[in-house]
Amino acid sequence: MTLFSVWAPEKPVRLRVAGEDRAMEPGEDGWWHLDVPAAPAGSDYAFLLPEAGDPLPDPRSAWQPQGVHGPSRVYDHSAFAWTDQGWTGRQLPGSVLYELHIGTFTPAGTFDAAIERLDHLVDLGVDMVELLPVNAFNGTYNWGYDGVCWFAPHEAYGGPDGLKRFVDAAHAKGLGVVLDVVYNHFGPSGAYAPMFAPYLSSGSNAWGSAINLDGPGSEQVRRYIVDSVLMWLRDYHVDGLRLDAVHALHDEGAVHLLEQMAVEVETLSTELRRPLSLIAESDLNDAKLITPREAGGYGLHAQWDDDIHHALHTLFTGERQGYYGDFGSLDCLRTVLEGAFFHAGTWSSFRGRRHGRPVDRQRTPGHRFVAFLQNHDQIGNRAIGDRLTATLSPGLLKVAATLLLTSPFTPMLFMGEEWAASSPWQYFTSHPEPDLAAAVQNGRRREFAEHGWAEADVPDPQDPATFERSKLDWSELGKPGHAEIFDLYRKLIALRRSTPGLTDPWLHQVEVWHGDQHVVVRRGPNVVAANLATVPQTVSVRALPRSVLLATSPGVIVERDRLVLPPESAAVVSVR
């Protein structure tokens, strides 16, 4: 027997299953229910509303094998044969994250194909794999941020069982799994939930209609979101979630949705006896998100820190357009390495106002900030999706990697970064609706034309070649130059893990000083010195070096309390 349920206030609902339409029975709070004896796992079903001519998929569907417009399919979570019973989880503090997109990580673009590359990640030394969104969206491939079924893994990737196989295999290799999820908007095609109930508010954000988190009917909408959060962590054994653009979650309730999530995830973590992490993407520069609830915060475990990226990116590339305008100096780099945020109650020329608030360096550990040189947004939202590989010399790539992986933050790599992949990562879509496809194509071209790009130079998101170009070329991994970068990343991650001074998360223990095209970072008994110039430089480390733990180029010379660094190089030394 299967119990079918759907929330549809003041709307009589019928269920179509096993070739028959059946009236559902009203319950409390606008819910409808029906027990159907002859509807086992694998049965297709749909709901019918009075104003809808076609049957609609379940807003809480766990399986959409025929796409987001097709019927839902009954899925039995208890039927999967997990082998990770001994998995005790992976905590975020001390970890290195690795962000990947299932569709472009391998040529096949499936969960099962990604499993075959897990040994590479183990060899690299990362701890947790962060998957770009995998819940069901319209079309065959896109970035995943247009999802409309918040409980169903995308069928083209392998569906529910495929995701479970991936998580199970990752755990067998000692890797945690973080899933990127989007709760601030529905995608533009296949979002049928709002036809059933008031899932949307009268407001909007950059991606469309905002979600109803604090208006009439919002209690069930919030339940819908939190139940999705708990499902990924419980039923798919995922170790954490990255919450997309939480600043777009408009909630004026006394208990913000994010705090509600934190409370219920903590309860589930206690039940499952393994750590579960919530990581926010936010441009608010407000540590309240990651401040414990006991101290008046929301209690999330970490947040992405774009300021760190901007400080590093602008320093190494010289770019200053758009939101990069305030960044780029060595003073800026010192500010973010010591205090996480650059805009901390300070003027933002891009926004035309003051932005952010300072981080308490003695009470907020650095591991609550996820730092990166590259990610899907910072590459894919460039006109041609070019990586740092296309801009920086090998020497500067190594220096940038050293500064990231010896920082007090939680570092995150973007797939292929570890071998200086040359493949771009571009914006791609596969909308089957001609009008929607044309709107995306034209909007992308207009956006970059405003920034001086010729329309012909901007890749067509709907062209399958744009998607194919964005796939990793794994043959590069063993080639000269690429293999050298990979070896450095392995050594840096291993050094970070084995050196207590580099794992110390406390920001007040970080001291940074700089001179002409060089920067030095003191972290307890260790010093990281970086020369950004094209000529050798002598750099004071303000202590007596014991040994050189790692150097990105041969020829580092120790002279009492100074290092002579080769051009575009960095060194990590232990000091007295």
Side-chain angles (χ1 to χ4, degrees), residues 10-26:
E10 302 178 1
K11 294 182 180 181
V13 185
R14 290 178 296 151
L15 170 70
R16 177 171 293 177
V17 65
E20 182 181 350
D21 293 350
R22 309 165 187 240
M24 300 190 73
E25 300 169 358

Side-chain angles (χ1 to χ4, degrees), residues 527-552:
V527 168
V528 182
N531 176 18
L532 282 61
T534 56
V535 296
Q537 289 212 78
T538 300
V539 175
S540 171
V541 297
R542 300 182 183 177
L544 295 177
R546 291 178 180 271
S547 62
V548 177
L549 303 176
L550 180 145
T552 63

Side-chain angles (χ1 to χ4, degrees), residues 10 190 193 318-319 347 392:
E10 302 178 1
E319 294 181 5
W347 181 259
L392 300 187

